Amino acid sequence: MGKTGKRSIHRRAFVKGIGGVAMVAAVAGFPAIVRARNTGPIRIGVSAIMSGRVAQMGSSSTNGAIMRVDAFNTSGGLNGRMIELIIRDSKGRPDEAARINRDFINRDDCDMILSLEASTGAFAVQEVVRELGTLCMHCLSETSSLTADPKLRTPNAFRSGRQGAHDAISAGSYAASIAKEKSLKKWMTVGPNYAYGHDTTEQFLNYLNHFSPDIELGSQLWPKIFQPDYTDVINKILQEKPDAVFTCLWGGDLSSFIEQGNLYGLFDQAQYFCIALADYTTMAAVKHLPSGIHSGNRYVSTFPGSAPNAAWEAEYVRQFNSRPTNWSWEAALGMQFLIEGIRKTGSSDGNEIAGVLPGMIVNSPFGVDGTITMRAEDQTIVEYGTGWGVTQSTEPFMPNVTPTDWKLIYELEAAWKKEQGYI
Amino acid sequence: MDFSSLIGCVSSASCMVTQSLSGLTIGMLLFLVASGLSLIFGVLKITNFAHGSFYMLGAYFALTVYQVTNNYFLAVCGAALGVGLFGVLFERFLIRRIYGSNVLMQLLLSYAVILILDDIVMLVWGSEFQSMGMPDLFRVPPIRFAGAYIPVFYLFLIVAAFAIAGGLWFLIEKTRFGKVVRAAAHNGEMAAALGINTSLLYSFTLGLGGVLAGLAGGLAAPVRSLVPGMGMSILIESFIVTVIGGMGSIVGAFVSAIVIGLTRSFGGIVMPEFTDGLMFLVMVIVLIVKPTGLFSKGRD
């Protein structure tokens, strides 16, 4: 056995050593933190859910971002500096999302972060960028508190996705108007049994009651997420015979519910309000989409019904041979804000770009009037197209969407923020 | 707990018909998957944790055949044959290498196959969920019976699954091949010593397990979303069925699949948020009363 004598380190020498390492690191070791690079590619770290059952979220959103980056690079970049996306799979795990984003900043020398995480991942990323000070654009998290709650907000993080609070106001006001028109008194709800399902349903009912206080609420059903069989839910609806059903099921779960409900003629027996149906990858996947289902718009090329929106969808289909999703436009918009910031400052410095993003208005095919604003007060987007329409069984599936008035959204959102103690 | 709703349902003909039919539909699909799992365990003494992925492959194979031929029956047959063939290859090239290994090695290998198959499905069919859609033959209004709505497709599913169960029973209990399978399940080494080609038999058994899982995937494809990873939920339920029925018992799998189907169906009325828990509760009760499962021939 060899000699294993202990070496003692003097405290002062230790402190000196640490100080020296910190200084070297500050100057050269962690350049992303202390200084922006002025040469070489502009690196943007993209963490997304690229595997598992919601891999579509990652693939369709990264596609949206790639379209914007390709256009930027093709036009010459920033004085010849191209954007390089470093895309990594967080597998839908918040701890993995946090680790990946730390690596983007500390190891990969990324200038900024494009977070394509669902809400749980987005909150983990928010804490990383708050600590390290790197510019971050959250694109897909719809949880309002991420930017509405001043305790969670940080000056270097923004959101380019829709918000749950906005959607709830839009849904409640639309559903109440149909309820009055068609005398829909008895309601049921069906939501996936996790935070999103409960929050969305509660917020919807809150605003439905606000606009139409005389509704009666029957059973609230909570099938588990990714449940393959909805027969028990369907049977309960058939037994209870409501006038209207609200559901926030989405994606494959909603598709299964509709396919199985069709077998019972379910959609002829009540009015259905599906907040997440109007996305082509869902509507086109349901092979026999019933006519007359009410849905909030996720992404449809008919709303906003402008030539740029139709052209954007056509270009997406040409490049990726699939239809864009709600997540595609949110990521494309997030990337557009970052690029506009880069152009406006002539720099890839996150701090400088974060300084010009609040209040920025960009031309966008997804804006209700052709523009979208990054609202300064809470660093989130407003004036994007949000509304409700009715399905038809053939393309374009939802030909008309009734837009929700943003004045109404602002008014009720402010009341909600006061209620929550955010303002 | 809403016992009044359950009492109301039991006293209503329409509710009884609806819930019983739902239970049978759920149970029969579970049986097809669980019977393959049980068969493989009975003969090979291998717990095929990748069996849910066989079901997923069956659904995707059926989708592809249906898209090409627009014939649902060909799609189901294609799914059965495709997954059966995959089962044979799985045995020949992978499972064969771990016979006699401990259960951790089985778990490791199966889990690797699950991940690989999920990724292959994603590469070939894409990450988006897909839907086959209801074949035209079954796009008819539901039958009204005793005030209940009975979807024609679900009637077909139940009849088809019963027919498959009957065929499987006949194959195992009444044919020479069945005798060989039972002999190998009882004592593989002795069967080999008596001249039975157990190597071939093992491949065939995994192939047959694959056929059953493929049939389940193909039959369910019109009403379930197809997505990478879809095999995991049915795998867990199939394990519950297999454990309750007794590992290795086809009859046990049949009976316990119906029990689980009806538990889900009627339990959903009393405790809609605890239907999964109810399944486990049934399993726990069975394991306490008869630890080797209801129809196992092993000693408790």
Side-chain angles (χ1 to χ4, degrees):
Chain A
M1 189 181 287
K3 194 177 176 183
T4 56
K6 287 182 185 171
R7 291 176 60 192
S8 64
I9 301 173
H10 195 278
R11 185 179 59 85
R12 191 167 295 168
F14 178 78
V15 172
K16 275 184 185 170
I18 290 292
V21 169
M23 190 171 290
V24 170
V27 175
F30 306 114
I33 299 173
V34 295
R35 62 191 170 81
R37 286 175 293 102
N38 292 316
T39 56
I42 300 166
R43 290 201 186 109
I44 301 181
V46 181
S47 68
I49 305 172
M50 303 295 285
S51 57
R53 293 196 58 146
V54 288
Q56 186 190 24
M57 182 183 260
S59 58
S60 68
S61 58
T62 48
N63 286 348
I66 287 166
M67 275 175 78
R68 283 285 175 201
V69 170
D70 284 349
F72 174 80
N73 288 345
T74 307
S75 68
L78 175 68
N79 304 322
R81 293 179 67 197
M82 303 300 172
I83 288 178
E84 180 189 317
L85 295 179
I86 303 174
I87 300 171
R88 297 218 173 100
D89 180 11
S90 69
K91 304 177 181 70
R93 285 170 33 203
D95 59 326
E96 186 67 2
R99 189 192 65 76
I100 286 172
N101 280 278
R102 280 186 189 280
D103 280 355
F104 281 150
I105 298 163
N106 292 332
R107 195 184 69 194
D108 300 310
D109 201 11
C110 286
D111 298 284
M112 56 200 89
I113 300 291
L114 190 77
S115 167
L116 304 181
E117 297 290 340
S119 288
T120 51
F123 279 91
V125 174
Q126 179 83 341
E127 291 313 308
V128 172
V129 297
R130 181 206 303 282
E131 181 190 332
L132 299 179
T134 306
L135 173 62
C136 173
M137 183 66 69
H138 297 287
C139 303
L140 310 189
S141 171
E142 297 178 11
T143 305
S144 299
S145 60
L146 181 69
T147 48
D149 185 349
K151 290 194 205 84
L152 294 173
R153 210 162 48 232
T154 176
N156 54 311
F158 298 78
R159 182 215 303 264
S160 68
R162 62 196 319 141
Q163 271 193 59
H166 298 169
D167 279 347
I169 294 164
S170 173
S173 63
Y174 175 82
S177 69
I178 301 296
K180 280 177 189 157
E181 185 187 318
K182 296 182 185 286
S183 297
L184 309 175
K185 297 283 178 210
K186 196 173 165 189
W187 285 71
M188 283 179 77
T189 67
V190 181
N193 196 7
Y194 68 107
Y196 158 79
H198 286 269
D199 291 351
T200 307
T201 304
E202 188 190 327
Q203 284 184 327
F204 167 77
L205 288 173
N206 186 22
Y207 288 109
L208 178 63
N209 272 305
H210 174 87
F211 292 108
S212 183
D214 56 343
I215 63 136
E216 299 162 25
L217 181 62
S219 292
Q220 293 196 266
L221 308 175
W222 306 105
K224 67 180 179 184
I225 187 171
F226 304 144
Q227 180 169 310
D229 193 284
Y230 289 87
T231 313
D232 51 347
V233 172
I234 292 163
N235 286 339
K236 188 76 178 169
I237 295 171
L238 288 172
Q239 282 167 28
E240 213 163 304
K241 297 186 174 64
D243 299 325
V245 178
F246 169 80
T247 179
C248 54
L249 292 173
W250 58 277
D253 290 355
L254 180 58
S255 166
S256 289
F257 174 67
I258 292 175
E259 295 284 9
Q260 292 169 28
N262 275 337
L263 293 175
Y264 292 87
L266 192 71
F267 302 99
D268 301 330
Q269 300 178 34
Q271 294 287 314
Y272 281 78
F273 295 78
C274 306
I275 199 166
L277 175 60
D279 208 305
Y280 289 121
T281 50
T282 305
M283 293 192 291
V286 176
K287 289 294 182 287
H288 304 108
L289 181 70
S291 297
I293 295 184
H294 305 270
S295 177
N297 74 308
R298 299 293 288 171
Y299 176 75
V300 287
S301 58
T302 50
F303 180 70
S306 61
N309 192 21
W312 182 80
E313 196 221 5
E315 179 59 18
Y316 185 102
V317 173
R318 189 190 69 75
Q319 286 196 29
F320 304 109
N321 199 28
S322 63
R323 306 287 286 269
T325 64
N326 177 64
W327 302 310
S328 308
W329 79 256
E330 290 176 327
L333 181 66
M335 199 66 238
Q336 184 183 358
F337 270 111
L338 292 180
I339 287 171
E340 292 293 331
I342 290 167
R343 285 203 169 117
K344 197 165 180 183
T345 59
S347 160
S348 60
D349 185 302
N351 287 332
E352 282 185 43
I353 296 166
V356 299
L357 284 178
M360 181 184 277
I361 298 169
V362 295
N363 291 322
S364 171
F366 322 117
V368 73
D369 64 353
T371 62
I372 290 180
T373 303
M374 180 62 73
R375 188 164 60 186
E377 66 188 61
D378 56 0
Q379 296 153 234
T380 193
I381 59 162
V382 290
E383 305 283 340
Y384 56 86
T386 181
W388 278 67
V390 178
T391 59
Q392 65 181 35
S393 54
T394 52
E395 287 272 5
F397 300 117
M398 186 170 279
N400 300 302
V401 174
T402 306
T404 307
D405 186 353
W406 272 93
K407 279 182 194 156
L408 178 72
I409 294 177
Y410 291 143
E411 182 190 322
L412 292 174
E413 185 191 21
W416 171 75
K417 281 183 171 175
K418 265 188 194 158
E419 218 172 84
Q420 302 296 315
Y422 294 157
I423 53 174
Chain B
M1 285 193 281
D2 190 1
F3 283 108
S4 60
S5 292
L6 182 63
I7 293 166
C9 181
V10 171
S11 56
S12 150
S14 70
C15 186
M16 277 298 285
V17 170
T18 304
Q19 296 303 126
S20 302
L21 193 86
S22 302
L24 279 178
T25 310
I26 296 166
M28 286 297 96
L29 280 176
L30 270 180
F31 164 72
L32 291 179
V33 181
S35 59
L37 195 63
S38 204
L39 185 71
I40 292 166
F41 180 81
V43 177
L44 278 69
K45 303 290 179 275
I46 288 281
T47 312
N48 182 20
F49 294 100
H51 209 66
S53 299
F54 284 27
Y55 163 83
M56 173 185 72
L57 274 186
Y60 275 99
F61 285 163
L63 173 72
T64 299
V65 176
Y66 185 72
Q67 284 170 340
V68 172
T69 65
N70 202 30
N71 184 318
Y72 177 58
F73 297 101
L74 279 181
V76 174
C77 292
L81 289 176
V83 184
L85 181 63
F86 178 80
V88 171
L89 298 174
F90 181 58
E91 195 280 333
R92 286 268 148 177
F93 294 105
L94 297 173
I95 287 287
R96 183 161 290 195
R97 295 166 192 276
I98 59 159
Y99 286 141
S101 301
N102 63 33
V103 74
L104 280 179
M105 188 57 80
Q106 296 172 26
L107 185 62
L108 191 66
L109 176 69
S110 301
Y111 194 60
V113 170
I114 290 170
L115 295 177
I116 290 166
L117 286 180
D118 282 354
D119 281 354
I120 288 174
V121 164
M122 212 179 294
L123 285 171
V124 175
W125 285 278
S127 57
E128 299 88 358
F129 72 90
Q130 305 207 30
S131 167
M132 177 192 275
M134 188 54 56
D136 289 341
L137 181 64
F138 299 110
R139 290 191 64 202
V140 291
I143 297 168
R144 293 298 299 268
F145 176 73
Y149 292 89
I150 303 177
V152 175
F153 181 70
Y154 284 171
L155 277 184
F156 162 75
L157 269 189
I158 293 168
V159 170
F162 265 97
I164 293 163
L168 188 62
W169 175 83
F170 186 81
L171 182 71
I172 301 293
E173 298 293 332
K174 299 291 177 189
T175 65
R176 187 179 179 281
F177 169 76
K179 276 185 187 166
V180 170
V181 168
R182 281 182 284 138
H186 187 69
N187 190 328
E189 285 180 11
M190 182 60 78
L194 292 172
I196 293 171
N197 186 345
T198 49
S199 169
L200 193 64
L201 180 70
Y202 290 166
S203 294
F204 189 86
T205 303
L206 241 160
L208 184 57
V211 165
L212 291 166
L215 280 170
L219 286 170
V223 284
R224 295 198 175 170
S225 295
L226 278 56
V227 64
M230 65 184 277
M232 194 50 83
S233 60
I234 202 158
L235 177 71
I236 294 166
E237 292 181 353
S238 301
F239 267 118
I240 295 172
V241 165
T242 310
V243 169
I244 291 174
M247 297 289 277
S249 168
I250 303 294
V251 176
F254 182 78
V255 173
S256 75
I258 292 176
V259 169
I260 288 298
L262 293 175
T263 302
R264 284 198 71 98
S265 173
F266 284 95
I269 298 173
V270 188
M271 288 186 277
E273 298 206 35
F274 194 64
T275 46
D276 286 350
L278 282 176
M279 290 192 308
F280 284 101
L281 201 61
V282 172
M283 185 175 79
V284 167
I285 292 168
V286 169
L287 288 179
I288 290 170
V289 176
K290 197 162 188 302
T292 54
L294 291 175
F295 289 81
S296 168
K297 287 171 185 164
R299 281 191 305 172
D300 292 331

